[in-house]
Amino acid sequence: MNLTKQAKPVLWSFYLSSCSWRVRIALNLKNIDYEYKAVDLLNKKGGDQFNKEFTKLNPKQEVPILLIDNIIFTQSIPIIEYLDSTRKTGLKLLSDDVVKRARSRIIAQVINSGIQPYQNANVIKRINKEMGKEKRIEWLNFYLNKGLTTVETLLKDTKGRYCVGDEISLADLCLVPQVFAAKRYKIDIGNFPLINSIILELDNVSAFHKALPENQPDFLKI
Ligand SMILES: N[C@@H](CCC(=O)N[C@@H](CS)C(=O)NCC(=O)O)C(=O)O
């Protein structure tokens, strides 16, 4: 791919991918227009992420990838941090207040490294194959409940209108897609009242709405 010819940033995304979704929200909140490149993670051949061309862009064979400023970035959290530090448009996603910034990153990391990896497509495929469907349900219940309980506990000290005080931050960008995934796996979000109330608040924000799976070009009925 010729990196110098890209007029707009390009996002490689899958409508259901929670990590791509985080970046979609960030791009919307920063008012950055971008080109959407769909990567079907679940196609019959095993997934577009394993294609040769895609693997050259991301050797870890995952979305999202963002091409911006002629640079290929992977990993949703560093992508969001790059956008926030280089683009002054739209909302600031990480506070200048060091405590708030650290708190937002803590919640983001609990989700990014403590929940999402356990529900990732390749992990679930393997659990299905090696342990069967019953074990998969038990596995997902355990890790999702453990992770969301951690977030709910952290929120007791950090929550305002959103995850950290009254400003939308990185933590909120991670929370919304994670809660959607948990609901798909039949986790009762009613057990997490603080999380639930933040989700209701964020439902009213158009940048979040635009990033929903059903509003993406590759959306298929789930
Ligand atoms: N830590 C990475 C995780 C990326 C990731 O796991 N992406 C998932 C979708 S949310 C994926 O592409 N999975 C492909 C697979 O499991 O084969 C990030 O935040 O970007």
Side-chain angles (χ1 to χ4, degrees):
M1 158 166 249
N2 183 350
L3 301 188
T4 55
K5 283 200 177 150
Q6 302 306 312
K8 288 193 221 176
V10 182
L11 177 68
W12 282 259
S13 167
F14 178 57
Y15 73 105
L16 263 185
S17 146
S18 63
C19 305
S20 307
W21 186 344
R22 298 170 191 166
V23 177
R24 298 197 299 257
I25 302 169
L27 288 161
N28 296 343
L29 286 170
K30 303 296 278 177
N31 302 322
I32 301 170
D33 189 23
Y34 64 95
E35 184 190 331
Y36 190 101
K37 276 208 197 282
V39 181
D40 186 350
L41 297 186
L42 303 174
N43 70 16
K44 288 201 180 98
K45 288 189 222 144
D48 287 341
Q49 69 274 36
F50 303 112
N51 291 349
K52 231 178 172 178
E53 278 305 300
F54 187 85
T55 305
K56 269 192 220 157
L57 296 173
N58 185 2
K60 196 152 189 306
Q61 303 178 311
E62 291 166 348
V63 285
I65 301 174
L66 185 71
L67 168 60
I68 190 166
D69 301 336
N70 299 327
I71 303 166
I72 289 279
F73 290 97
T74 61
Q75 297 292 335
S76 60
I77 307 276
I79 291 174
I80 294 166
E81 297 218 6
Y82 179 83
L83 292 175
D84 204 38
S85 32
T86 58
R87 288 355 189 228
K88 299 303 160 204
T89 50
L91 233 61
K92 190 142 185 26
L93 303 174
L94 279 159
S95 174
D96 288 333
D97 178 309
V98 284
V99 175
K100 282 188 172 171
R101 191 162 70 223
R103 287 182 151 171
S104 186
R105 284 179 170 144
I106 290 166
I107 294 171
Q109 282 310 331
V110 169
I111 295 169
N112 183 52
S113 60
I115 309 182
Q116 186 274 336
Y118 294 103
Q119 76 195 15
N120 209 354
N122 69 82
V123 175
I124 296 304
K125 249 187 242 166
R126 213 179 162 108
I127 303 253
N128 261 342
K129 196 170 150 211
E130 309 216 346
M131 301 188 212
K133 196 178 162 211
E134 282 309 307
K135 270 280 167 213
R136 183 196 71 197
I137 295 168
E138 197 184 308
W139 169 278
L140 284 166
N141 264 317
F142 178 80
Y143 286 107
L144 286 162
N145 277 309
K146 185 173 165 62
L148 291 174
T149 301
T150 307
V151 173
E152 182 78 7
T153 307
L154 291 168
L155 288 172
K156 288 183 186 155
D157 289 330
T158 65
K159 185 184 171 305
R161 196 163 164 198
Y162 304 114
C163 283
V164 181
D166 294 331
E167 291 96 39
I168 290 174
S169 74
L170 173 68
D172 300 292
L173 277 56
C174 295
L175 186 65
V176 167
Q178 185 52 63
V179 167
F180 177 93
K183 284 184 181 161
R184 274 187 77 218
Y185 295 126
K186 312 271 183 275
I187 301 295
D188 183 359
I189 298 299
N191 293 331
F192 306 101
L194 300 181
I195 291 178
N196 211 8
S197 80
I198 294 167
I199 296 297
L200 292 176
E201 278 294 334
L202 291 166
D203 261 357
N204 302 319
V205 181
S206 67
F208 281 75
H209 198 256
K210 213 172 131 192
L212 287 169
E214 63 259 39
N215 295 329
Q216 306 316 305
D218 55 339
F219 172 70
L220 302 168
K221 290 250 177 304
I222 307 160

